[in-house]
Amino acid sequence: MNGAFIHILMDGLSVFRALPGLHDLYYLIDTRYKGDVAVDVVSLFELFVMGPLCLIQYYAVRTKASFRHPLQLVIASIQFMGTIVYLGTGAWLGW
């Protein structure tokens, strides 16, 4: 549930400025939140893909579904790639 909360409410909705105070805090930490396309794409991906996947993962763990371990690997891999894109654009821009 923590992953879904972070991906949907914090990271995902920041791209829409749905939580203005939170977006302002993100911008203070990283100026790319003012309109960098890479940050917006990662945020949208977290809202529409990672958040729902984390909710499905929560259900899979609670019900001991057989797909819980492969799904966890998929989620971790996507998270790793998102980190590379996020930090890679910062390194590329001299951040």
Side-chain angles (χ1 to χ4, degrees):
M1 291 303 291
N2 188 29
F5 175 78
I6 290 171
H7 291 302
I8 294 172
L9 292 179
M10 294 181 68
D11 294 339
L13 292 179
S14 68
V15 74
F16 292 116
R17 278 79 169 158
L19 304 170
L22 182 63
H23 179 74
D24 294 340
L25 292 174
Y26 270 68
Y27 178 69
L28 287 174
I29 295 169
D30 188 349
T31 57
R32 294 179 294 165
Y33 275 90
K34 189 170 185 176
D36 185 354
V37 174
V39 172
D40 288 346
V41 168
V42 170
S43 295
L44 286 172
F45 190 79
E46 292 197 13
L47 177 61
F48 293 112
V49 176
M50 290 297 289
L53 282 177
C54 287
L55 290 173
I56 294 168
Q57 178 66 19
Y58 172 77
Y59 170 79
V61 169
R62 293 286 296 168
T63 61
K64 297 184 181 177
S66 61
F67 62 88
R68 69 185 185 271
H69 297 298
L71 182 59
Q72 189 171 2
L73 182 62
V74 168
I75 291 171
S77 299
I78 293 171
Q79 184 67 37
F80 181 69
M81 290 304 297
T83 301
I84 289 173
V85 169
Y86 185 81
L87 294 177
T89 57
W92 181 264
L93 297 172
W95 172 78

Coordinates of all heavy atoms in Angstrom, one line a residue:
M1 N 0.8 -1.2 0.0 CA 0.0 0.0 0.0 C 0.9 1.3 0.0 O 0.5 2.2 -0.6 CB -0.9 0.0 1.2 CG -2.0 -1.1 1.2 SD -3.1 -0.9 -0.3 CE -4.0 0.5 0.0
N2 N 2.0 1.2 0.6 CA 2.9 2.3 0.7 C 3.4 2.7 -0.7 O 3.4 3.9 -1.1 CB 4.1 2.0 1.6 CG 5.0 3.2 1.8 OD1 4.5 4.4 1.8 ND2 6.3 3.0 2.0
G3 N 3.7 1.7 -1.6 CA 4.1 2.0 -2.9 C 3.0 2.7 -3.7 O 3.2 3.6 -4.5
A4 N 1.8 2.2 -3.6 CA 0.6 2.8 -4.3 C 0.4 4.3 -3.8 O 0.2 5.1 -4.6 CB -0.6 2.0 -4.0
F5 N 0.5 4.5 -2.5 CA 0.4 5.8 -2.0 C 1.4 6.8 -2.5 O 1.1 7.9 -3.0 CB 0.5 5.8 -0.4 CG 0.5 7.2 0.2 CD1 -0.7 7.8 0.4 CD2 1.7 7.8 0.6 CE1 -0.7 9.1 0.9 CE2 1.6 9.0 1.2 CZ 0.4 9.7 1.4
I6 N 2.7 6.3 -2.5 CA 3.8 7.2 -3.1 C 3.6 7.4 -4.6 O 3.7 8.6 -5.0 CB 5.1 6.6 -2.7 CG1 5.4 6.7 -1.2 CG2 6.2 7.3 -3.5 CD1 6.6 6.0 -0.7
H7 N 3.4 6.4 -5.3 CA 3.3 6.5 -6.8 C 2.1 7.3 -7.2 O 2.2 8.0 -8.2 CB 3.3 5.1 -7.4 CG 4.6 4.4 -7.3 ND1 5.8 5.0 -7.8 CD2 5.0 3.2 -6.8 CE1 6.8 4.1 -7.5 NE2 6.3 3.1 -6.9
I8 N 0.9 7.0 -6.6 CA -0.3 7.7 -7.1 C -0.4 9.1 -6.5 O -0.5 10.1 -7.2 CB -1.5 6.9 -6.7 CG1 -1.5 5.6 -7.5 CG2 -2.8 7.6 -7.0 CD1 -2.6 4.6 -7.1
L9 N -0.4 9.2 -5.2 CA -0.7 10.5 -4.6 C 0.5 11.5 -4.6 O 0.3 12.7 -4.9 CB -1.1 10.3 -3.1 CG -2.5 9.6 -2.9 CD1 -2.8 9.5 -1.5 CD2 -3.6 10.4 -3.6
M10 N 1.7 11.0 -4.3 CA 2.8 11.9 -4.2 C 3.5 12.2 -5.6 O 3.5 13.3 -6.1 CB 3.8 11.4 -3.2 CG 3.3 11.4 -1.8 SD 4.5 10.9 -0.6 CE 5.6 12.2 -0.6
D11 N 4.0 11.2 -6.2 CA 4.7 11.4 -7.5 C 3.8 11.6 -8.7 O 4.0 12.5 -9.5 CB 5.6 10.2 -7.7 CG 6.7 10.0 -6.7 OD1 7.1 11.1 -6.1 OD2 7.3 8.9 -6.6
G12 N 2.8 10.8 -8.8 CA 1.9 10.9 -9.9 C 1.1 12.1 -10.0 O 1.0 12.8 -11.1
L13 N 0.5 12.6 -8.9 CA -0.4 13.8 -9.0 C 0.5 15.0 -9.0 O -0.1 16.1 -9.3 CB -1.3 13.8 -7.8 CG -2.4 12.7 -7.9 CD1 -3.3 12.8 -6.6 CD2 -3.2 12.8 -9.1
S14 N 1.7 15.0 -8.8 CA 2.6 16.2 -8.8 C 2.7 16.7 -10.2 O 2.8 17.9 -10.4 CB 4.0 15.9 -8.2 OG 4.7 15.1 -9.1
V15 N 2.6 15.8 -11.2 CA 2.7 16.3 -12.6 C 1.5 17.1 -13.0 O 1.5 18.0 -13.9 CB 2.9 15.1 -13.6 CG1 1.6 14.3 -13.8 CG2 3.4 15.6 -14.9
F16 N 0.3 16.9 -12.4 CA -0.9 17.6 -12.7 C -1.1 18.8 -11.8 O -2.0 19.5 -11.9 CB -2.1 16.7 -12.5 CG -2.2 15.6 -13.6 CD1 -2.1 14.3 -13.2 CD2 -2.4 16.0 -14.9 CE1 -2.2 13.3 -14.2 CE2 -2.4 15.0 -15.9 CZ -2.4 13.6 -15.5
R17 N -0.1 19.0 -10.9 CA -0.2 20.1 -9.9 C -1.5 20.0 -9.1 O -2.1 21.0 -8.7 CB -0.1 21.5 -10.5 CG 1.3 22.0 -10.9 CD 1.7 21.3 -12.1 NE 2.9 21.9 -12.7 CZ 3.7 21.2 -13.5 NH1 3.4 20.0 -13.8 NH2 4.7 21.7 -14.0
A18 N -2.0 18.7 -8.9 CA -3.2 18.5 -8.1 C -3.0 18.8 -6.7 O -4.0 19.1 -6.0 CB -3.6 17.0 -8.3
L19 N -1.8 18.7 -6.2 CA -1.5 19.0 -4.8 C -0.5 20.1 -4.8 O 0.7 19.9 -4.8 CB -0.9 17.8 -4.1 CG -1.8 16.5 -4.1 CD1 -1.1 15.3 -3.5 CD2 -3.1 16.8 -3.3
P20 N -0.9 21.4 -5.0 CA 0.0 22.5 -5.2 C 1.1 22.6 -4.2 O 2.3 22.9 -4.6 CB -0.9 23.7 -5.2 CG -2.3 23.2 -5.4 CD -2.3 21.8 -4.9
G21 N 0.8 22.5 -2.9 CA 1.9 22.6 -1.9 C 3.0 21.5 -2.1 O 4.1 21.8 -2.0
L22 N 2.5 20.3 -2.4 CA 3.5 19.2 -2.6 C 4.3 19.5 -3.9 O 5.5 19.3 -3.9 CB 2.8 17.9 -2.8 CG 3.6 16.7 -3.0 CD1 4.6 16.5 -1.7 CD2 2.8 15.4 -3.2
H23 N 3.7 20.0 -4.9 CA 4.4 20.3 -6.2 C 5.5 21.4 -5.9 O 6.6 21.3 -6.4 CB 3.5 20.8 -7.3 CG 4.2 21.1 -8.5 ND1 4.8 20.1 -9.4 CD2 4.5 22.3 -9.1 CE1 5.4 20.7 -10.4 NE2 5.2 22.0 -10.2
D24 N 5.1 22.4 -5.1 CA 6.1 23.4 -4.8 C 7.3 22.9 -4.0 O 8.4 23.3 -4.2 CB 5.4 24.5 -3.9 CG 4.4 25.3 -4.7 OD1 4.4 25.2 -6.0 OD2 3.5 25.9 -4.1
L25 N 7.0 21.9 -3.1 CA 8.1 21.3 -2.4 C 9.0 20.5 -3.3 O 10.3 20.5 -3.2 CB 7.6 20.4 -1.2 CG 6.9 21.2 -0.1 CD1 6.3 20.2 0.9 CD2 7.9 22.1 0.6
Y26 N 8.4 19.7 -4.2 CA 9.2 19.0 -5.2 C 10.1 19.9 -6.0 O 11.2 19.7 -6.3 CB 8.3 18.2 -6.1 CG 7.9 16.8 -5.7 CD1 7.1 16.6 -4.6 CD2 8.4 15.7 -6.4 CE1 6.8 15.3 -4.2 CE2 8.0 14.4 -6.0 CZ 7.2 14.3 -4.9 OH 6.9 13.0 -4.5
Y27 N 9.5 21.1 -6.4 CA 10.2 22.1 -7.2 C 11.4 22.7 -6.5 O 12.4 22.9 -7.0 CB 9.3 23.2 -7.7 CG 10.0 24.2 -8.5 CD1 10.5 23.9 -9.8 CD2 10.2 25.5 -8.0 CE1 11.2 24.9 -10.5 CE2 10.8 26.4 -8.8 CZ 11.4 26.1 -10.0 OH 12.0 27.1 -10.7
L28 N 11.2 22.9 -5.2 CA 12.3 23.4 -4.3 C 13.5 22.4 -4.3 O 14.7 22.8 -4.3 CB 11.9 23.7 -2.9 CG 11.0 24.9 -2.7 CD1 10.5 25.0 -1.3 CD2 11.7 26.2 -3.1
I29 N 13.2 21.1 -4.3 CA 14.2 20.1 -4.3 C 14.9 19.9 -5.6 O 16.1 19.8 -5.8 CB 13.7 18.8 -3.7 CG1 13.3 19.0 -2.3 CG2 14.7 17.7 -3.9 CD1 12.5 17.8 -1.7
D30 N 14.0 19.9 -6.7 CA 14.5 19.6 -8.0 C 13.8 20.6 -9.0 O 12.6 20.4 -9.2 CB 14.2 18.2 -8.4 CG 14.8 17.7 -9.7 OD1 15.3 18.6 -10.5 OD2 14.8 16.5 -9.9
T31 N 14.5 21.5 -9.6 CA 13.9 22.5 -10.5 C 13.3 21.8 -11.8 O 12.6 22.5 -12.5 CB 14.9 23.6 -10.9 OG1 16.0 23.0 -11.5 CG2 15.3 24.4 -9.7
R32 N 13.6 20.6 -12.1 CA 13.1 19.9 -13.3 C 11.6 19.8 -13.2 O 10.9 19.5 -14.1 CB 13.7 18.6 -13.5 CG 15.2 18.7 -13.9 CD 15.8 17.4 -14.1 NE 15.9 16.6 -12.8 CZ 16.1 15.3 -12.8 NH1 16.3 14.6 -13.9 NH2 16.1 14.7 -11.6
Y33 N 11.0 19.9 -12.0 CA 9.6 19.7 -11.8 C 8.8 20.9 -12.3 O 7.6 21.0 -12.3 CB 9.2 19.5 -10.3 CG 9.3 18.0 -9.9 CD1 10.5 17.5 -9.5 CD2 8.2 17.2 -10.1 CE1 10.6 16.2 -9.2 CE2 8.3 15.9 -9.8 CZ 9.5 15.3 -9.3 OH 9.6 14.0 -9.1
K34 N 9.5 21.9 -12.8 CA 8.8 23.1 -13.4 C 8.3 22.8 -14.8 O 7.5 23.5 -15.3 CB 9.8 24.3 -13.4 CG 9.1 25.6 -13.8 CD 9.9 26.8 -13.6 CE 9.1 28.0 -13.9 NZ 9.9 29.2 -13.6
G35 N 8.8 21.7 -15.4 CA 8.3 21.4 -16.8 C 9.2 20.5 -17.6 O 9.0 20.5 -18.8
D36 N 10.1 19.8 -17.0 CA 10.9 18.9 -17.7 C 10.1 17.7 -18.2 O 9.4 17.1 -17.5 CB 12.1 18.4 -16.9 CG 13.1 17.5 -17.6 OD1 12.8 17.2 -18.8 OD2 14.1 17.2 -17.0
V37 N 10.2 17.4 -19.5 CA 9.4 16.4 -20.1 C 9.7 15.0 -19.5 O 8.8 14.2 -19.2 CB 9.6 16.4 -21.6 CG1 8.8 15.2 -22.3 CG2 9.1 17.7 -22.2
A38 N 10.9 14.7 -19.3 CA 11.3 13.4 -18.7 C 10.7 13.2 -17.3 O 10.2 12.1 -17.0 CB 12.8 13.3 -18.6
V39 N 10.7 14.2 -16.5 CA 10.1 14.1 -15.2 C 8.6 14.0 -15.3 O 8.0 13.2 -14.5 CB 10.5 15.4 -14.3 CG1 9.7 15.4 -13.0 CG2 12.0 15.4 -14.0
D40 N 8.0 14.7 -16.2 CA 6.5 14.5 -16.4 C 6.2 13.1 -16.9 O 5.2 12.6 -16.4 CB 6.0 15.6 -17.4 CG 6.0 17.0 -16.8 OD1 6.2 17.1 -15.6 OD2 5.9 17.9 -17.6
V41 N 7.0 12.6 -17.8 CA 6.7 11.2 -18.3 C 6.8 10.2 -17.2 O 6.0 9.3 -17.0 CB 7.6 10.9 -19.5 CG1 7.6 9.4 -19.8 CG2 7.2 11.7 -20.7
V42 N 7.9 10.3 -16.4 CA 8.1 9.4 -15.3 C 6.9 9.5 -14.3 O 6.4 8.5 -13.8 CB 9.4 9.6 -14.6 CG1 9.5 8.8 -13.3 CG2 10.6 9.2 -15.5
S43 N 6.5 10.7 -14.0 CA 5.4 11.0 -13.0 C 4.1 10.4 -13.6 O 3.3 9.8 -12.8 CB 5.2 12.5 -12.8 OG 6.4 13.0 -12.1
L44 N 3.8 10.6 -14.8 CA 2.6 10.0 -15.4 C 2.7 8.5 -15.4 O 1.7 7.8 -15.1 CB 2.4 10.5 -16.9 CG 1.9 11.9 -17.0 CD1 2.0 12.4 -18.4 CD2 0.6 12.1 -16.4
F45 N 3.8 7.9 -15.7 CA 4.0 6.4 -15.7 C 3.8 5.9 -14.2 O 3.1 4.9 -14.1 CB 5.4 6.1 -16.1 CG 5.6 4.6 -16.4 CD1 5.1 4.0 -17.5 CD2 6.3 3.9 -15.4 CE1 5.3 2.7 -17.7 CE2 6.4 2.5 -15.6 CZ 6.0 1.9 -16.8
E46 N 4.3 6.7 -13.3 CA 4.0 6.2 -11.9 C 2.6 6.3 -11.5 O 2.1 5.4 -10.8 CB 4.9 7.1 -10.9 CG 6.3 6.8 -11.1 CD 7.2 7.3 -9.9 OE1 6.6 7.6 -8.9 OE2 8.4 7.3 -10.1
L47 N 1.9 7.3 -12.0 CA 0.4 7.4 -11.7 C -0.4 6.3 -12.3 O -1.2 5.7 -11.6 CB -0.1 8.8 -12.2 CG -1.5 9.1 -12.0 CD1 -1.9 9.1 -10.5 CD2 -1.9 10.5 -12.6
F48 N -0.2 6.1 -13.6 CA -1.1 5.2 -14.3 C -0.6 3.7 -14.4 O -1.4 2.8 -14.7 CB -1.3 5.7 -15.7 CG -2.1 7.0 -15.7 CD1 -1.6 8.2 -16.1 CD2 -3.4 7.0 -15.3 CE1 -2.3 9.3 -16.1 CE2 -4.2 8.1 -15.3 CZ -3.6 9.3 -15.7
V49 N 0.7 3.5 -14.2 CA 1.2 2.1 -14.3 C 1.7 1.6 -12.9 O 1.2 0.5 -12.4 CB 2.4 2.0 -15.3 CG1 2.9 0.6 -15.3 CG2 1.8 2.4 -16.7
M50 N 2.6 2.3 -12.3 CA 3.2 1.8 -11.0 C 2.2 1.7 -9.9 O 2.2 0.8 -9.1 CB 4.4 2.6 -10.6 CG 5.6 2.4 -11.6 SD 6.2 0.7 -11.5 CE 7.0 0.7 -9.9
G51 N 1.4 2.8 -9.8 CA 0.4 2.8 -8.7 C -0.6 1.6 -8.8 O -0.7 0.8 -7.8
P52 N -1.2 1.4 -9.9 CA -2.1 0.2 -10.0 C -1.3 -1.1 -9.9 O -1.9 -2.1 -9.2 CB -2.7 0.3 -11.4 CG -2.6 1.8 -11.7 CD -1.4 2.3 -11.1
L53 N -0.1 -1.2 -10.4 CA 0.7 -2.5 -10.2 C 0.9 -2.7 -8.7 O 0.9 -3.9 -8.2 CB 2.0 -2.4 -11.0 CG 1.9 -2.7 -12.4 CD1 3.3 -2.5 -13.1 CD2 1.3 -4.0 -12.7
C54 N 1.2 -1.7 -8.0 CA 1.4 -1.8 -6.5 C 0.2 -2.3 -5.8 O 0.2 -3.1 -4.9 CB 2.0 -0.5 -5.9 SG 3.7 -0.2 -6.3
L55 N -1.0 -1.8 -6.2 CA -2.2 -2.2 -5.6 C -2.5 -3.7 -6.0 O -2.9 -4.5 -5.1 CB -3.4 -1.4 -6.1 CG -3.4 0.1 -5.6 CD1 -4.5 0.8 -6.3 CD2 -3.6 0.1 -4.1
I56 N -2.2 -4.1 -7.2 CA -2.3 -5.5 -7.6 C -1.4 -6.4 -6.8 O -1.7 -7.5 -6.3 CB -2.1 -5.7 -9.1 CG1 -3.3 -5.0 -9.8 CG2 -2.1 -7.2 -9.5 CD1 -3.0 -4.9 -11.3
Q57 N -0.2 -5.9 -6.6 CA 0.8 -6.6 -5.8 C 0.4 -6.8 -4.3 O 0.6 -7.8 -3.7 CB 2.2 -5.9 -5.8 CG 3.3 -6.5 -5.0 CD 3.7 -7.9 -5.5 OE1 3.4 -8.3 -6.7 NE2 4.3 -8.7 -4.7
Y58 N -0.2 -5.7 -3.8 CA -0.7 -5.8 -2.4 C -1.8 -6.9 -2.3 O -1.7 -7.8 -1.4 CB -1.3 -4.5 -2.0 CG -2.1 -4.5 -0.7 CD1 -1.3 -4.6 0.5 CD2 -3.4 -4.6 -0.6 CE1 -2.0 -4.6 1.7 CE2 -4.1 -4.6 0.6 CZ -3.4 -4.7 1.7 OH -4.1 -4.7 2.9
Y59 N -2.7 -6.9 -3.3 CA -3.7 -8.0 -3.3 C -3.1 -9.4 -3.5 O -3.5 -10.3 -2.8 CB -4.7 -7.7 -4.5 CG -5.6 -8.9 -4.7 CD1 -6.7 -9.1 -3.9 CD2 -5.4 -9.8 -5.8 CE1 -7.6 -10.1 -4.2 CE2 -6.2 -10.8 -6.0 CZ -7.3 -11.0 -5.2 OH -8.2 -12.1 -5.4
A60 N -2.1 -9.5 -4.3 CA -1.4 -10.8 -4.6 C -0.7 -11.3 -3.3 O -0.8 -12.5 -3.0 CB -0.4 -10.6 -5.7
V61 N -0.1 -10.4 -2.6 CA 0.6 -10.8 -1.4 C -0.4 -11.2 -0.3 O -0.3 -12.3 0.4 CB 1.5 -9.7 -0.8 CG1 2.0 -10.0 0.6 CG2 2.7 -9.5 -1.8
R62 N -1.5 -10.4 -0.2 CA -2.5 -10.7 0.8 C -3.2 -12.1 0.6 O -3.6 -12.8 1.5 CB -3.6 -9.6 0.9 CG -3.1 -8.3 1.4 CD -2.8 -8.3 2.8 NE -4.1 -8.4 3.5 CZ -4.2 -8.7 4.8 NH1 -3.1 -8.8 5.6 NH2 -5.4 -8.8 5.4
T63 N -3.4 -12.4 -0.7 CA -4.1 -13.6 -1.0 C -3.2 -14.8 -1.4 O -3.6 -15.9 -1.7 CB -5.1 -13.4 -2.2 OG1 -4.3 -13.0 -3.4 CG2 -6.1 -12.4 -1.9
K64 N -1.9 -14.5 -1.3 CA -0.8 -15.5 -1.6 C -1.0 -16.1 -3.0 O -0.9 -17.2 -3.3 CB -0.8 -16.6 -0.6 CG -0.4 -16.1 0.8 CD -0.3 -17.2 1.8 CE 0.0 -16.5 3.1 NZ 0.1 -17.4 4.2
A65 N -1.3 -15.1 -3.9 CA -1.5 -15.5 -5.3 C -0.1 -16.0 -5.9 O 1.0 -15.6 -5.5 CB -2.0 -14.3 -6.1
S66 N -0.2 -16.9 -6.9 CA 1.0 -17.5 -7.5 C 1.8 -16.5 -8.3 O 3.0 -16.7 -8.5 CB 0.6 -18.7 -8.4 OG -0.3 -18.2 -9.4
F67 N 1.2 -15.4 -8.7 CA 1.9 -14.5 -9.6 C 2.6 -13.4 -8.8 O 3.2 -12.4 -9.3 CB 0.9 -13.8 -10.6 CG -0.2 -13.1 -10.0 CD1 -0.1 -11.7 -9.7 CD2 -1.4 -13.7 -9.8 CE1 -1.1 -11.0 -9.2 CE2 -2.5 -13.0 -9.2 CZ -2.3 -11.6 -8.9
R68 N 2.5 -13.5 -7.4 CA 3.1 -12.4 -6.6 C 4.6 -12.2 -6.8 O 5.0 -11.0 -6.8 CB 2.7 -12.5 -5.2 CG 3.4 -13.7 -4.4 CD 2.8 -13.8 -3.0 NE 3.5 -14.8 -2.2 CZ 3.2 -16.1 -2.2 NH1 2.1 -16.5 -2.9 NH2 3.9 -16.9 -1.5
H69 N 5.3 -13.2 -6.9 CA 6.8 -13.1 -7.1 C 7.2 -12.5 -8.4 O 8.0 -11.6 -8.5 CB 7.5 -14.4 -6.7 CG 7.3 -14.8 -5.3 ND1 7.7 -14.1 -4.2 CD2 6.7 -15.9 -4.8 CE1 7.4 -14.7 -3.1 NE2 6.7 -15.8 -3.4
P70 N 6.7 -13.1 -9.5 CA 7.0 -12.5 -10.8 C 6.6 -11.0 -10.9 O 7.3 -10.2 -11.5 CB 6.2 -13.3 -11.8 CG 6.0 -14.6 -11.2 CD 5.9 -14.3 -9.7
L71 N 5.4 -10.7 -10.4 CA 4.9 -9.3 -10.4 C 5.9 -8.4 -9.6 O 6.2 -7.3 -10.0 CB 3.5 -9.2 -9.9 CG 2.9 -7.8 -9.9 CD1 2.9 -7.2 -11.3 CD2 1.5 -7.8 -9.3
Q72 N 6.3 -8.9 -8.5 CA 7.3 -8.1 -7.7 C 8.6 -7.9 -8.5 O 9.1 -6.8 -8.4 CB 7.6 -8.9 -6.4 CG 8.4 -8.1 -5.4 CD 8.4 -8.8 -4.0 OE1 8.0 -9.9 -3.9 NE2 9.1 -8.1 -3.1
L73 N 9.0 -8.8 -9.2 CA 10.2 -8.6 -10.0 C 10.0 -7.6 -11.1 O 10.8 -6.7 -11.4 CB 10.6 -10.0 -10.7 CG 11.9 -9.9 -11.5 CD1 13.1 -9.5 -10.7 CD2 12.1 -11.3 -12.1
V74 N 8.8 -7.6 -11.7 CA 8.4 -6.6 -12.8 C 8.4 -5.2 -12.2 O 9.0 -4.3 -12.7 CB 7.1 -7.0 -13.4 CG1 6.5 -5.9 -14.3 CG2 7.2 -8.3 -14.2
I75 N 7.8 -5.1 -11.0 CA 7.7 -3.8 -10.4 C 9.1 -3.3 -10.0 O 9.4 -2.1 -10.2 CB 6.7 -3.9 -9.1 CG1 5.3 -4.1 -9.6 CG2 6.9 -2.6 -8.3 CD1 4.3 -4.4 -8.4
A76 N 9.9 -4.1 -9.4 CA 11.2 -3.7 -9.1 C 12.1 -3.3 -10.3 O 12.8 -2.3 -10.3 CB 11.9 -4.8 -8.3
S77 N 11.9 -4.0 -11.4 CA 12.6 -3.7 -12.6 C 12.2 -2.3 -13.2 O 13.0 -1.5 -13.6 CB 12.4 -4.8 -13.7 OG 12.9 -6.0 -13.2
I78 N 10.9 -2.1 -13.2 CA 10.3 -0.8 -13.7 C 10.8 0.3 -12.8 O 11.2 1.4 -13.3 CB 8.8 -0.9 -13.7 CG1 8.3 -1.8 -14.8 CG2 8.2 0.5 -14.0 CD1 6.8 -2.1 -14.8
Q79 N 10.8 0.1 -11.5 CA 11.3 1.1 -10.5 C 12.8 1.4 -10.8 O 13.2 2.6 -10.8 CB 11.1 0.6 -9.1 CG 11.5 1.6 -8.1 CD 10.6 2.8 -8.0 OE1 9.4 2.7 -8.2 NE2 11.2 4.0 -7.8
F80 N 13.6 0.4 -11.1 CA 15.0 0.6 -11.4 C 15.2 1.4 -12.7 O 16.0 2.3 -12.7 CB 15.7 -0.8 -11.5 CG 17.1 -0.7 -11.8 CD1 18.0 -0.2 -10.8 CD2 17.7 -1.1 -13.0 CE1 19.4 -0.1 -11.1 CE2 19.0 -1.0 -13.3 CZ 19.9 -0.5 -12.3
M81 N 14.4 1.1 -13.7 CA 14.5 1.8 -14.9 C 14.0 3.3 -14.8 O 14.6 4.2 -15.3 CB 13.7 1.2 -16.0 CG 14.3 -0.1 -16.5 SD 16.0 0.0 -17.1 CE 15.8 1.1 -18.5
G82 N 13.0 3.5 -14.0 CA 12.5 4.9 -13.7 C 13.6 5.7 -13.0 O 13.8 6.8 -13.2
T83 N 14.3 5.0 -12.1 CA 15.4 5.7 -11.4 C 16.5 6.1 -12.3 O 17.1 7.2 -12.3 CB 16.0 4.8 -10.3 OG1 14.9 4.5 -9.3 CG2 17.1 5.4 -9.5
I84 N 16.8 5.2 -13.3 CA 17.9 5.5 -14.3 C 17.5 6.7 -15.1 O 18.2 7.6 -15.4 CB 18.2 4.2 -15.1 CG1 18.9 3.2 -14.3 CG2 19.0 4.6 -16.4 CD1 19.1 1.9 -15.0
V85 N 16.2 6.7 -15.6 CA 15.7 7.8 -16.4 C 15.7 9.1 -15.6 O 16.2 10.1 -16.1 CB 14.3 7.5 -16.9 CG1 13.7 8.7 -17.6 CG2 14.3 6.3 -17.9
Y86 N 15.2 9.0 -14.4 CA 15.2 10.2 -13.6 C 16.5 10.8 -13.2 O 16.8 12.0 -13.4 CB 14.4 9.9 -12.3 CG 14.2 11.1 -11.4 CD1 13.1 11.9 -11.6 CD2 15.0 11.3 -10.3 CE1 12.9 13.0 -10.8 CE2 14.7 12.4 -9.5 CZ 13.7 13.3 -9.8 OH 13.5 14.3 -9.0
L87 N 17.4 9.9 -12.8 CA 18.8 10.4 -12.4 C 19.6 10.6 -13.7 O 20.5 11.5 -13.7 CB 19.5 9.4 -11.5 CG 18.9 9.3 -10.1 CD1 19.6 8.2 -9.3 CD2 18.9 10.6 -9.4
G88 N 19.3 9.9 -14.8 CA 20.1 10.1 -16.0 C 19.9 11.4 -16.6 O 20.8 12.1 -17.1
T89 N 18.6 11.9 -16.6 CA 18.3 13.2 -17.2 C 19.0 14.3 -16.3 O 19.5 15.3 -16.9 CB 16.8 13.5 -17.3 OG1 16.2 13.3 -16.0 CG2 16.2 12.5 -18.3
G90 N 19.0 14.1 -15.0 CA 19.7 15.1 -14.2 C 21.2 15.1 -14.5 O 21.8 16.2 -14.5
A91 N 21.8 14.0 -14.6 CA 23.2 13.9 -14.9 C 23.5 14.5 -16.3 O 24.5 15.2 -16.5 CB 23.7 12.5 -14.9
W92 N 22.6 14.2 -17.3 CA 22.8 14.7 -18.6 C 22.7 16.3 -18.6 O 23.4 16.9 -19.4 CB 21.7 14.2 -19.5 CG 21.8 14.6 -20.9 CD1 21.1 15.6 -21.5 CD2 22.6 14.0 -22.0 NE1 21.4 15.7 -22.8 CE2 22.4 14.8 -23.1 CE3 23.5 13.0 -22.0 CZ2 23.0 14.5 -24.3 CZ3 24.2 12.7 -23.2 CH2 23.9 13.5 -24.3
L93 N 21.8 16.8 -17.8 CA 21.6 18.3 -17.8 C 22.6 19.0 -16.9 O 22.6 20.2 -16.7 CB 20.2 18.6 -17.3 CG 19.1 18.1 -18.3 CD1 17.8 18.3 -17.6 CD2 19.2 18.8 -19.6
G94 N 23.5 18.2 -16.2 CA 24.5 18.8 -15.3 C 24.0 19.2 -14.0 O 24.4 20.1 -13.3
W95 N 23.0 18.4 -13.5 CA 22.3 18.7 -12.3 C 23.1 18.3 -11.1 O 23.8 17.6 -10.8 CB 21.0 17.9 -12.4 CG 20.1 17.8 -11.2 CD1 19.3 18.8 -10.7 CD2 19.9 16.7 -10.4 NE1 18.6 18.3 -9.7 CE2 19.0 17.0 -9.4 CE3 20.5 15.4 -10.3 CZ2 18.5 16.2 -8.5 CZ3 20.0 14.6 -9.4 CH2 19.1 14.9 -8.5

